[in-house]
Coordinates of all heavy atoms in Angstrom, one line a residue:
P1 N 0.3 5.8 8.5 CA 1.8 6.1 8.3 C 2.7 5.2 9.1 O 3.7 4.7 8.6 CB 1.9 7.6 8.7 CG 0.5 8.1 8.9 CD -0.5 7.0 8.9
A2 N 2.4 5.1 10.4 CA 3.4 4.4 11.3 C 3.4 2.9 10.9 O 4.5 2.3 10.8 CB 2.9 4.6 12.8
L3 N 2.3 2.4 10.6 CA 2.1 1.0 10.2 C 2.9 0.8 9.0 O 3.6 -0.3 8.7 CB 0.7 0.5 10.1 CG 0.5 -1.0 9.9 CD1 1.1 -1.8 11.0 CD2 -1.0 -1.3 9.8
A4 N 2.7 1.7 8.0 CA 3.4 1.6 6.8 C 4.9 1.6 6.9 O 5.7 0.8 6.4 CB 3.0 2.7 5.8
Q5 N 5.4 2.6 7.6 CA 6.9 2.9 7.8 C 7.6 1.8 8.6 O 8.6 1.3 8.3 CB 7.1 4.2 8.5 CG 6.7 5.4 7.7 CD 6.7 6.7 8.5 OE1 7.6 6.8 9.4 NE2 5.9 7.6 8.1
A6 N 6.9 1.3 9.7 CA 7.6 0.4 10.6 C 7.4 -1.1 10.2 O 8.1 -2.0 10.6 CB 7.1 0.6 12.0
F7 N 6.3 -1.4 9.2 CA 6.1 -2.7 9.1 C 5.8 -3.1 7.5 O 6.4 -3.9 6.9 CB 5.0 -3.3 9.9 CG 4.7 -4.8 9.7 CD1 5.5 -5.7 10.4 CD2 3.6 -5.2 8.9 CE1 5.2 -7.1 10.1 CE2 3.4 -6.5 8.7 CZ 4.2 -7.5 9.3
V8 N 4.8 -2.3 7.0 CA 4.4 -2.7 5.6 C 5.4 -2.5 4.6 O 5.5 -3.3 3.6 CB 3.0 -1.9 5.3 CG1 2.6 -2.2 3.9 CG2 2.0 -2.3 6.4
I9 N 6.1 -1.4 4.5 CA 7.0 -1.0 3.3 C 8.0 -2.2 3.2 O 8.2 -2.7 2.1 CB 7.7 0.2 3.7 CG1 6.8 1.5 3.6 CG2 8.9 0.4 2.7 CD1 7.4 2.8 3.9
G10 N 8.6 -2.6 4.2 CA 9.7 -3.6 4.0 C 9.1 -5.0 3.5 O 9.8 -5.6 2.7
R11 N 8.0 -5.2 3.8 CA 7.3 -6.6 3.3 C 6.7 -6.3 2.0 O 6.8 -7.3 1.1 CB 6.2 -7.0 4.3 CG 6.7 -7.8 5.5 CD 7.3 -6.9 6.6 NE 7.6 -7.7 7.8 CZ 8.2 -7.0 8.9 NH1 8.4 -5.7 8.9 NH2 8.5 -7.8 9.9
L12 N 6.1 -5.2 1.7 CA 5.4 -5.0 0.4 C 6.4 -4.8 -0.7 O 6.1 -5.2 -1.8 CB 4.5 -3.8 0.6 CG 3.3 -3.7 -0.4 CD1 2.5 -5.1 -0.3 CD2 2.4 -2.6 0.0
A13 N 7.5 -4.3 -0.4 CA 8.5 -4.0 -1.5 C 9.1 -5.2 -2.0 O 9.8 -5.1 -3.0 CB 9.6 -3.0 -0.9
E14 N 8.9 -6.4 -1.4 CA 9.4 -7.6 -2.0 C 8.6 -8.0 -3.2 O 9.2 -8.8 -4.0 CB 9.3 -8.7 -0.9 CG 9.9 -8.5 0.4 CD 9.5 -9.5 1.5 OE1 8.6 -10.4 1.1 OE2 9.9 -9.5 2.6
L15 N 7.4 -7.6 -3.4 CA 6.5 -8.1 -4.4 C 6.9 -7.8 -5.8 O 6.9 -8.7 -6.7 CB 5.1 -7.7 -4.2 CG 4.3 -8.5 -3.2 CD1 2.9 -8.0 -3.1 CD2 4.2 -10.0 -3.6
P16 N 7.3 -6.6 -6.2 CA 7.7 -6.3 -7.5 C 8.8 -7.2 -8.0 O 9.0 -7.5 -9.2 CB 8.0 -4.8 -7.5 CG 7.3 -4.3 -6.5 CD 7.3 -5.3 -5.4
G17 N 9.9 -7.5 -7.1 CA 10.8 -8.4 -7.5 C 10.4 -9.8 -7.8 O 11.0 -10.5 -8.7
R18 N 9.4 -10.2 -7.1 CA 8.8 -11.6 -7.3 C 8.0 -11.7 -8.6 O 7.9 -12.7 -9.3 CB 8.1 -12.0 -6.2 CG 8.8 -12.2 -4.9 CD 7.9 -12.7 -3.8 NE 8.5 -12.7 -2.5 CZ 7.9 -13.1 -1.4 NH1 6.7 -13.4 -1.4 NH2 8.6 -13.0 -0.2
H19 N 7.3 -10.5 -8.9 CA 6.4 -10.4 -9.9 C 6.8 -9.2 -10.8 O 6.3 -8.1 -10.5 CB 4.9 -10.3 -9.5 CG 4.5 -11.4 -8.6 ND1 4.2 -12.7 -8.9 CD2 4.3 -11.4 -7.2 CE1 3.9 -13.4 -7.9 NE2 3.9 -12.6 -6.8
P20 N 7.6 -9.4 -11.8 CA 8.2 -8.2 -12.5 C 7.1 -7.4 -13.2 O 7.4 -6.2 -13.5 CB 9.1 -8.9 -13.6 CG 9.4 -10.3 -13.0 CD 8.2 -10.7 -12.2
G21 N 5.9 -7.9 -13.5 CA 4.9 -7.0 -14.1 C 4.0 -6.2 -13.1 O 3.1 -5.6 -13.5
L22 N 4.3 -6.5 -11.8 CA 3.4 -5.9 -10.8 C 4.0 -4.7 -10.2 O 5.2 -4.7 -9.8 CB 3.2 -7.0 -9.6 CG 2.3 -6.6 -8.5 CD1 0.8 -6.3 -9.0 CD2 2.3 -7.7 -7.4
D23 N 3.2 -3.5 -10.1 CA 3.7 -2.3 -9.6 C 2.8 -2.1 -8.4 O 1.6 -2.2 -8.3 CB 3.6 -1.2 -10.5 CG 4.5 -1.3 -11.8 OD1 5.5 -2.0 -11.7 OD2 4.0 -1.0 -12.8
V24 N 3.5 -1.4 -7.3 CA 2.7 -1.2 -6.0 C 2.9 0.3 -5.6 O 4.0 0.8 -5.8 CB 3.3 -2.0 -4.9 CG1 2.6 -1.6 -3.6 CG2 3.1 -3.5 -5.2
D25 N 1.8 0.9 -5.4 CA 1.8 2.3 -5.0 C 1.3 2.4 -3.5 O 0.1 2.0 -3.2 CB 0.9 3.2 -5.8 CG 0.8 4.6 -5.5 OD1 1.1 5.0 -4.4 OD2 0.6 5.4 -6.4
L26 N 2.1 2.7 -2.6 CA 1.8 2.7 -1.1 C 1.6 4.1 -0.7 O 2.5 5.0 -0.7 CB 2.9 2.0 -0.3 CG 2.6 2.0 1.2 CD1 1.3 1.4 1.6 CD2 3.8 1.4 2.0
A27 N 0.5 4.5 -0.2 CA 0.1 5.8 0.3 C -0.2 5.7 1.7 O -0.7 4.7 2.2 CB -1.0 6.5 -0.4
T28 N 0.2 6.7 2.5 CA -0.1 6.7 3.9 C -0.9 7.9 4.3 O -0.7 9.0 3.9 CB 1.2 6.7 4.8 OG1 1.8 8.0 4.5 CG2 2.1 5.6 4.4
D29 N -1.9 7.6 5.3 CA -2.8 8.7 5.7 C -3.3 8.2 7.1 O -3.7 7.1 7.2 CB -3.9 9.0 4.8 CG -4.4 10.4 4.9 OD1 -4.8 10.7 6.1 OD2 -4.6 11.0 3.9
L30 N -3.4 9.2 8.1 CA -4.0 8.9 9.4 C -5.4 8.8 9.2 O -6.1 8.1 10.0 CB -3.6 10.0 10.4 CG -2.2 10.0 11.1 CD1 -2.0 11.2 11.8 CD2 -2.2 8.7 12.0
R31 N -6.1 9.4 8.2 CA -7.4 9.4 8.0 C -7.8 8.4 6.9 O -7.0 8.3 6.0 CB -8.0 10.7 7.6 CG -7.5 11.9 8.5 CD -8.1 11.8 10.0 NE -7.3 12.8 10.8 CZ -7.8 13.0 12.1 NH1 -8.8 12.3 12.7 NH2 -7.1 13.9 12.8
A32 N -8.9 7.8 6.9 CA -9.2 6.8 6.0 C -9.5 7.4 4.6 O -10.1 8.5 4.5 CB -10.5 6.0 6.4
V33 N -8.9 6.8 3.5 CA -9.2 7.2 2.2 C -10.3 6.3 1.6 O -10.6 5.2 2.1 CB -8.0 7.3 1.3 CG1 -7.0 8.2 1.9 CG2 -7.4 5.8 1.1
S34 N -11.0 6.7 0.6 CA -12.2 6.0 0.0 C -11.8 4.9 -0.9 O -11.2 5.2 -2.0 CB -13.1 6.9 -0.6 OG -14.2 6.2 -1.2
L35 N -12.1 3.6 -0.6 CA -11.9 2.6 -1.6 C -13.0 2.7 -2.6 O -12.9 2.5 -3.8 CB -12.1 1.2 -0.9 CG -10.9 0.7 -0.1 CD1 -11.4 -0.6 0.5 CD2 -9.7 0.4 -0.9
D36 N -14.2 3.1 -2.2 CA -15.4 3.2 -3.0 C -15.1 4.3 -4.2 O -15.6 4.0 -5.3 CB -16.6 3.6 -2.3 CG -17.9 3.4 -3.1 OD1 -18.0 2.4 -3.7 OD2 -18.7 4.4 -3.1
R37 N -14.3 5.2 -3.9 CA -14.0 6.3 -4.9 C -12.8 6.0 -5.7 O -12.2 6.8 -6.4 CB -13.9 7.6 -4.2 CG -15.2 8.1 -3.6 CD -15.2 9.5 -3.0 NE -16.4 9.9 -2.4 CZ -16.6 11.0 -1.7 NH1 -15.6 11.9 -1.7 NH2 -17.8 11.3 -1.2
H38 N -12.3 4.8 -5.5 CA -11.1 4.2 -6.2 C -9.8 5.1 -5.9 O -8.9 5.2 -6.8 CB -11.4 4.2 -7.7 CG -12.3 3.1 -8.1 ND1 -12.0 2.2 -8.9 CD2 -13.5 2.6 -7.5 CE1 -12.9 1.3 -9.1 NE2 -13.8 1.6 -8.2
K39 N -9.7 5.6 -4.7 CA -8.4 6.3 -4.3 C -7.4 5.3 -3.8 O -6.2 5.5 -3.7 CB -8.7 7.3 -3.2 CG -9.5 8.5 -3.7 CD -9.7 9.5 -2.5 CE -10.4 10.7 -3.0 NZ -10.5 11.8 -2.0
A40 N -7.9 4.0 -3.6 CA -7.0 2.9 -3.3 C -7.7 1.6 -3.7 O -9.0 1.6 -3.8 CB -6.7 2.9 -1.7
D41 N -6.9 0.6 -3.9 CA -7.4 -0.7 -4.2 C -7.5 -1.6 -3.0 O -8.3 -2.5 -2.9 CB -6.5 -1.4 -5.3 CG -6.5 -0.6 -6.5 OD1 -7.5 -0.3 -7.1 OD2 -5.4 -0.3 -7.0
I42 N -6.5 -1.4 -2.1 CA -6.5 -2.2 -0.9 C -6.2 -1.1 0.3 O -5.5 -0.3 0.1 CB -5.3 -3.2 -0.9 CG1 -5.4 -4.2 -2.0 CG2 -5.1 -3.9 0.5 CD1 -4.2 -5.1 -2.1

């Protein structure tokens, strides 16, 4: 959460403007979520 709020959001939100067909879903969690279970891509 802190990394997302203080750093990632501002930088990541630039991408949809550069790539009109690209959508980004940013989720925050102190505990790790599973990539293997496809809860996140990155």
Side-chain angles (χ1 to χ4, degrees):
L3 188 57
Q5 294 171 28
F7 184 79
V8 175
I9 290 175
R11 278 79 176 176
L12 203 53
E14 302 169 358
L15 277 179
R18 296 182 188 176
H19 306 284
L22 182 65
D23 299 326
V24 177
D25 182 333
L26 176 62
T28 64
D29 203 308
L30 278 172
R31 314 292 172 171
V33 302
S34 175
L35 284 177
D36 194 47
R37 296 181 184 180
H38 285 234
K39 293 184 177 179
D41 302 305
I42 297 173

